[in-house]
Every structure is written in C-alpha cells, then in structure tokens.
Amino acid sequence: MDIVRQSLAITFVFALLWAALWFLRKRGNIRSGFSRARAAHGVLESRGKLALGPQHSIHVVRIGERDMVVAVHPAGVTVLCRPAHAADSTAAGIV
C-alpha cells in the first residue's frame, strides 16, 4: 500500500510541475529553448574550431564586433589572441 501511495504522490507532484510550467509559458513568463531569430542576433558567435586532442581545442569566436582566439583545455580557457579590430583579424588571416 505504501508503494502505491508514494507513486501517486510523485505523479501528483509531476502533474503540478507540468501544469505550472504550462501556465507560465502561456502567460509568456518562461521561454524554453532559443529561437533561430534570437540566436542569429546573438552577441557571441563561433567562427571556427580546431581540435588538438580529445580535451584540447582552439576556437575563433566573435564577441560583438571583436574576434578572439581562445584555447580550451581541462583547466579552463586561455585567450591566445585578441586583435584590436575585426579588420586586423581578417588581415592576419585568422578568420
């Protein structure tokens, strides 16, 4: 009898969570996922990636109007190059 009671309680809690999520989405308070139009106008853009190993890679990212070259490794992220202007990165052959 305890198992049936616990199962019903869990089902009831999940139903309440689903109903709250549905209600908040309906009112427009919660947006789930990224729309393509919103992602296209984002500030951060990945321009390219070079995998050096299973846990190491080099990325070219654009933040606003600036390009950056960063290294990603298990200990974190290191900025390798930060050109002054986007035109400088194009002239240097980065992009």
Side-chain angles (χ1 to χ4, degrees), residues 3 5 12 15 17 24 54-55 64 69 79 81-82 88-89 94:
I3 294 175
R5 201 174 201 190
F12 180 70
L17 288 173
L24 289 174
Q55 296 182 343
V69 180
V79 177
C81 180
R82 191 179 325 177
D88 293 343
S89 63
I94 294 174

Side-chain angles (χ1 to χ4, degrees), residues 27-51:
R27 288 186 53 198
N29 293 347
I30 290 182
R31 286 189 300 248
S32 61
F34 290 105
S35 67
R36 294 202 184 266
R38 190 170 151 198
H41 294 75
V43 176
L44 182 66
E45 176 187 357
S46 175
R47 306 285 307 249
K49 174 185 173 184
L50 174 64

Side-chain angles (χ1 to χ4, degrees), residues 16-78:
L16 281 178
L17 288 173
W18 178 83
L21 182 63
W22 177 82
F23 178 72
L24 289 174
R25 279 188 190 162
K26 194 83 161 161
R27 288 186 53 198
N29 293 347
I30 290 182
R31 286 189 300 248
S32 61
F34 290 105
S35 67
R36 294 202 184 266
R38 190 170 151 198
H41 294 75
V43 176
L44 182 66
E45 176 187 357
S46 175
R47 306 285 307 249
K49 174 185 173 184
L50 174 64
L52 302 175
Q55 296 182 343
H56 296 82
S57 59
I58 296 176
H59 295 261
V60 178
V61 294
R62 170 165 272 190
I63 301 173
E65 294 296 321
R66 297 186 60 165
D67 289 332
M68 297 176 90
V69 180
V70 295
V72 180
H73 46 82
V77 178
T78 305

